[in-house]
């Protein structure tokens, strides 16, 4: 497995996919899914909607990377995982001059993207699972 660049983020991605598949298997055994037709023009089961939502999320991320130069994650989700200081430092905002969290967020959001491909993909996944 030397060919793969195994970083913590890569490992977390694959672990998350495995956990989703295990969870879907347990859910299917506990409560078998019923075919339904939502806004997608086909009848789908729970596993079909998972596949469609993951595939759509991948295309959303690829389109984002192709057509924009902004980060894949928007600023609010980055602050959730990294903290205001780390995001402010990475964007060049001087945090010693900023007194509070709200001041830091307004400074960061004034010059940078609020939404990213990650947030769009999460909405897509929930929409497909709920109404797909």
């Amino acid at each position: 497995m030397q060919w793969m660049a195994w970083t913590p983020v890569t490992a977390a991605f694959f672990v998350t996919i495995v956990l989703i598949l295990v969870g879907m298997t347990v859910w299917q055994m506990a409560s078998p899914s019923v075919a339904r037709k939502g806004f997608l023009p086909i009848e789908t089961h729970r596993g079909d909607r998972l596949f469609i939502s993951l595939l759509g999320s991948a295309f959303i991320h690829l389109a984002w990377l192709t057509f924009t130069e902004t980060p894949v994650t928007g600023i609010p989700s980055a602050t959730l995982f990294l903290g205001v200081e780390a995001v402010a430092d990475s964007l060049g905002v001087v945090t010693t001059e900023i007194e509070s969290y709200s001041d830091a967020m307004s400074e960061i959001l004034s010059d940078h993207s609020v939404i990213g491909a990650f947030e769009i993909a999460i909405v897509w996944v929930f929409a497909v699972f709920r109404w797909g």
Side-chain angles (χ1 to χ4, degrees):
M1 301 267 293
Q2 295 295 331
W3 59 272
M4 181 92 175
W6 285 102
T7 64
V9 175
T10 307
F13 172 78
F14 284 106
V15 166
T16 301
I17 296 296
V18 168
L19 289 175
I20 288 172
L21 292 174
V22 168
M24 291 290 287
T25 302
V26 170
W27 190 9
Q28 180 65 24
M29 291 187 328
S31 168
S33 65
V34 178
R36 67 178 189 181
K37 189 173 181 181
F39 72 87
L40 299 171
I42 55 174
E43 281 192 359
T44 59
H45 290 274
R46 200 178 294 139
D48 301 330
R49 291 188 295 275
L50 173 67
F51 178 75
I52 291 167
S53 64
L54 291 177
L55 192 63
S57 296
F59 284 126
I60 288 168
H61 279 84
L62 288 174
W64 188 270
L65 291 172
T66 301
F67 298 115
T68 70
E69 294 190 13
T70 56
V72 173
T73 57
I75 298 302
S77 63
T79 57
L80 178 67
F81 294 114
L82 300 175
V84 175
E85 292 82 12
V87 173
D89 289 342
S90 69
L91 296 175
V93 177
V94 181
T95 55
T96 56
E97 299 173 1
I98 299 173
E99 296 296 322
S100 69
Y101 176 82
S102 61
D103 292 340
M105 285 306 298
S106 63
E107 178 75 20
I108 290 168
L109 296 177
S110 65
D111 296 328
H112 297 89
S113 171
V114 177
I115 191 166
F118 179 75
E119 289 81 8
I120 295 169
I122 292 296
V123 170
W124 167 253
V125 168
F126 285 124
V128 168
F129 261 84
R130 176 64 182 102
W131 298 294

